[in-house]
Amino acid sequence: MHVVATAGHVDHGKSALVRALTDMDPDRWAEEKRRGLTIDLGFVWTTLPSGTDLAFVDVPGHEKFLGNMLAGVGPAPVVIFVVAADEGWQEQSTDHRDAVRALDIRHGLIALTRADRADATRRAEVTAQVRHELAGTALADAPLVEVSAHTGEGIAQMRQVLDEVLAQVPAPDPQARVRVWIDRAFSVKGAGTVVTGTLSAGTLRVGDKLELASPDGGRAVEVRGLHSENTAHQVLEPTSRVAVNLRGISADAIHRGHSLLSSGAWELVEQIDVRRTFGQDFYELPQNIVVHIGTAGLEAHVRPLSADYARLSLAYPLPLQLLDRFVVRSPGGRHVSAGVQVIDVYPPELNRRGAARRRAEELELLADASPSATSTPATSTPAASPSPFTDPTGYIQRVGYVRVDKLQRAGFTVDDPAAPPQGIIAFRQWWIAAREITRWKNQLLVALGKHAQENPLAAGMPRKAAMDALDLQEDALLGIAVAAAKVEQVDGVLRVPGHKVDLGAAEASVAKLEVWLADDPFAAPEADELQELRLGAKQLAAAENAGRLLRLGQGIVLLPGAPQEAKKRIAQLEQPFTLSAARKALSTTRRVAIPLLEYLDEQGITRRLDGGLRELR
């Protein structure tokens, strides 16, 4: 299926043309039929002679309904631009042309309607006028068909030209993520909530779990059923007009401008940097404007960075990606003020004097760095080649590291997650700036040195403290810094190679205890004896981390070689052996023997059997 929107001045015959092509009336409201004036969007369809399935979105032309018109044209990839042959180009023709240009709709045709009311000379005059007004836009060379819905003149040719135009439209990606801008929401008896929109990319299936994005945020929904052109489907691919039956939500909670999204695939953003593509510059626009994208129309605050670049703060978050196109108009205004393009959905803070000016200079340099970019966006037609704004290198250099899926949600170019741009390193699900790893290495070495100085009894720096020092949120990334700095990881702490624990004032007491245990390996000191030596938990832990002592359960302190000495003595016993036999072989007390044997069990040196017996493994 293809989806085509109409555009053009009020009463120039858009609805009549669609009616003649489809034998269906796009005007749904009784008031529209009574007044002979399209007020809201109309949806009809037909099959072209080639067999191509074609759906129309008919839009109102009156200036009072510009918002409705933009909601209809916004998601459409193709447009029929209508100009009446007898009246010629009019005021809303200009607004609709500017809207089509702002939304960067690149495929379409021109219908010179009401041809029965104009002679050959007038038709030629209007044709020249239309070509002049569309010069410099994507429709400048679009085919033009003289047509009359009243007499049927040109209707057959229009169908043929539509076939030719649609054959040139690039095929959308059925594997892409879904973003359906909702244009209607209603309730059907026995089915529940139904929303409609244009599926321009991705695939919808019955049973899909989607996200409904609204001003209140995202909400999980499920596809209960799918229809297109009044026919039920299990699967719908792009481009299609779709009616989606949703489970678990009331139609009253959904409105035009909300969107259905692939779960977790889109970023809902409220602050963006944009580039002017034509129209009033950002200094000329009011601070508060109305922006239109998809079927959404909402207020936004403008902070100019320069005449051609600005920071927009949206009234509520939208699912946006890089290079999305906006239509801008003044609040209460009935005309298109400008067209803008999203160039950053993760913009940096502007909290220092001169930050806005420097940001504009950065964006201008970025645009100028690409052969496809232009230094005069107000008069250019954006190129279809890759944009410098979708190259993630600059963003990654700015933030240091980022998850690849976040880049994909923003619309950055990620051809292969395992093959990042030059200067970027791929690690698991992250892309990391090479210089960021150098910074991590240097910061880690400084942090370890400071920690050792401030904590002389510590065996090293805990990993969590190291992550805080490097401002890392992911433990896996610390491993890169550890490898780059070539530091040791021992028992959950980090330290520089060769690090020695400085026991300080406890050195003499530890040395005395070492002599004590060297003479009698299992004569572990009592608690009061340790207190007399001024060896508390902190000093004993430091000595153990330094490899000088071994602490067992129940406050037992021995030398690190005690387990191996115990193994040698126990090996002389008849196997299996009792606790009493082991205590005698070790020449110690039950206070020491019990925790020592439990430690040997844990280390796999001995094995406990039934009846309180043990044996060497």
Side-chain angles (χ1 to χ4, degrees):
M1 179 190 294
H2 288 272
V3 177
V4 176
T6 60
H9 189 75
V10 62
D11 200 31
H12 273 204
K14 295 185 295 298
S15 299
L17 173 62
V18 169
R19 196 176 298 115
L21 289 168
T22 65
D23 291 326
M24 299 175 68
D25 190 352
D27 289 336
R28 297 179 288 115
W29 295 7
E31 184 180 357
E32 291 177 313
K33 298 180 186 298
R34 179 178 60 81
R35 295 173 60 182
L37 175 70
T38 299
I39 297 172
D40 201 3
L41 305 180
F43 310 101
V44 292
W45 55 89
T46 189
T47 301
L48 296 177
S50 65
T52 298
D53 191 11
L54 172 60
F56 287 99
V57 180
D58 187 39
V59 307
H62 198 285
E63 62 178 4
K64 290 183 179 180
F65 309 119
L66 179 61
N68 288 347
M69 176 270 176
L70 294 170
V73 174
V78 183
V79 66
I80 296 180
F81 200 94
V82 174
V83 180
D86 54 337
E87 288 191 1
W89 195 270
Q90 299 293 313
E91 187 174 14
Q92 268 64 62
S93 303
T94 298
D95 279 323
H96 287 209
R97 175 204 63 193
D98 290 347
V100 169
R101 180 181 180 187
L103 296 169
D104 197 33
I105 299 176
R106 295 181 160 271
H107 300 275
L109 69 157
I110 304 159
L112 209 63
T113 55
R114 302 206 308 229
D116 56 303
R117 301 187 186 183
D119 59 21
T121 301
R122 179 56 179 163
R123 294 185 188 189
E125 290 174 353
V126 174
T127 297
Q129 185 184 36
V130 170
R131 292 299 186 192
H132 172 75
E133 294 291 347
L134 292 176
T137 73
L139 297 181
D141 299 319
L144 184 148
V145 180
E146 298 174 358
V147 64
S148 169
H150 179 66
T151 66
E153 176 188 351
I155 295 297
Q157 183 187 1
M158 174 69 71
R159 291 193 177 101
Q160 180 181 346
V161 173
L162 273 168
D163 254 332
E164 294 169 358
V165 169
L166 296 177
Q168 298 173 19
V169 178
D173 182 4
Q175 304 303 318
R177 51 192 176 156
V178 168
R179 178 176 61 175
V180 175
W181 294 100
I182 294 171
D183 47 46
R184 292 180 67 204
F186 50 92
S187 183
V188 175
K189 187 175 181 180
T193 299
V194 175
V195 299
T196 68
T198 298
L199 176 65
S200 56
T203 299
L204 287 174
R205 296 176 175 83
V206 173
D208 276 354
K209 304 294 194 298
L210 301 175
E211 180 181 359
L212 174 70
S214 72
D216 298 325
R219 174 173 175 173
V221 293
E222 182 179 347
V223 177
R224 180 180 180 183
L226 289 171
H227 279 73
S228 184
E229 300 178 351
N230 286 345
T231 302
H233 296 264
Q234 288 296 308
V235 179
L236 283 172
E237 294 188 345
T239 300
S240 299
R241 283 293 304 170
V242 296
V244 186
N245 184 196
L246 297 177
R247 178 178 282 115
I249 189 170
S250 168
D252 294 336
I254 308 175
H255 302 283
R256 178 174 293 171
H258 298 182
S259 53
L260 282 178
L261 312 171
S262 296
S263 296
W266 291 88
E267 205 75 60
L268 297 180
V269 296
E270 199 166 359
Q271 196 169 75
I272 54 176
D273 282 350
V274 297
R275 171 180 180 263
R276 180 175 67 104
T277 56
F278 78 95
Q280 291 179 263
D281 71 40
F282 289 114
Y283 293 124
E284 296 173 329
L285 290 172
Q287 283 190 339
N288 295 306
I289 59 173
V290 177
V291 297
H292 295 266
I293 181 171
T295 60
L298 68 159
E299 294 183 352
H301 176 78
V302 181
R303 179 177 179 179
L305 306 176
S306 69
D308 292 329
Y309 296 91
R311 172 77 45 93
L312 293 190
S313 298
L314 305 176
Y316 54 84
L318 288 178
L320 302 179
Q321 65 178 345
L322 296 171
L323 308 187
D324 273 342
R325 300 282 181 147
F326 276 23
V327 173
V328 172
R329 62 182 178 90
S330 299
R334 297 178 178 178
H335 305 287
V336 173
S337 299
V340 301
Q341 182 180 38
V342 179
I343 56 174
D344 198 338
V345 297
Y346 304 131
E349 293 184 2
L350 302 175
N351 50 13
R352 294 185 180 181
R353 182 182 294 273
R357 174 182 52 79
R358 289 191 294 273
R359 176 63 173 160
E361 292 171 353
E362 291 172 3
L363 295 173
E364 287 166 356
L365 285 173
L366 182 60
D368 291 343
S370 170
S372 65
T374 175
S375 59
T376 56
T379 59
S380 67
T381 300
S385 54
S387 168
F389 298 114
T390 61
D391 182 348
T393 304
Y395 173 66
I396 299 171
Q397 295 288 3
R398 174 172 23 115
V399 300
Y401 66 98
V402 63
R403 291 178 64 102
V404 174
D405 58 356
K406 183 174 182 178
L407 295 174
Q408 293 169 325
R409 288 197 302 273
F412 283 108
T413 301
V414 181
D415 294 328
D416 181 358
Q422 187 174 3
I424 307 299
I425 294 171
F427 174 72
R428 297 185 182 176
Q429 64 266 47
W430 292 279
W431 277 5
I432 309 167
R435 67 183 185 185
E436 184 74 359
I437 296 176
T438 301
R439 187 179 71 84
W440 290 346
K441 178 190 75 172
N442 295 335
Q443 281 188 328
L444 181 58
L445 291 173
V446 170
L448 289 176
K450 182 179 179 182
H451 184 272
Q453 186 177 8
E454 295 175 351
N455 303 273
L457 296 182
M461 188 178 195
R463 290 182 65 87
K464 181 62 172 65
M467 288 177 61
D468 291 342
L470 272 60
D471 193 25
L472 295 176
Q473 304 302 316
E474 300 283 351
D475 182 78
L477 296 177
L478 181 61
I480 298 180
V482 167
K486 298 180 180 179
V487 301
E488 294 178 343
Q489 302 182 74
V490 180
D491 297 330
V493 299
L494 308 177
R495 63 193 184 198
V496 296
H499 170 76
K500 300 293 184 182
V501 177
D502 182 4
L503 299 180
E507 175 60 39
S509 295
V510 171
K512 185 181 292 186
L513 184 55
E514 286 175 322
V515 172
W516 177 339
L517 292 171
D519 291 339
D520 194 348
F522 305 106
E526 299 280 353
D528 58 339
E529 293 172 322
L530 289 173
Q531 186 175 4
E532 186 178 338
L533 288 170
R534 296 185 177 180
L535 293 176
K538 186 175 181 179
Q539 289 77 20
L540 290 171
E544 183 177 38
N545 289 331
R548 305 273 295 276
L549 298 175
L550 172 66
R551 292 184 300 167
L552 305 180
Q554 303 175 29
I556 302 302
V557 179
L558 300 173
L559 294 178
Q564 290 303 316
E565 177 63 24
K567 178 181 178 181
K568 286 170 53 179
R569 297 191 186 188
I570 290 172
Q572 305 301 315
L573 297 174
E574 182 179 350
Q575 305 294 315
F577 61 89
T578 63
L579 170 62
S580 177
R583 180 185 63 76
K584 292 177 181 178
L586 299 174
S587 300
T588 190
T589 63
R590 288 174 58 88
R591 181 181 72 89
V592 175
I594 291 174
L596 177 56
L597 288 174
E598 290 175 348
Y599 177 83
L600 295 178
D601 292 342
E602 293 172 1
Q603 298 301 307
I605 296 174
T606 56
R607 174 168 49 208
R608 189 164 187 168
L609 307 175
D610 293 337
L613 298 176
R614 283 183 170 84
E615 66 179 3
L616 282 174
R617 284 184 180 270

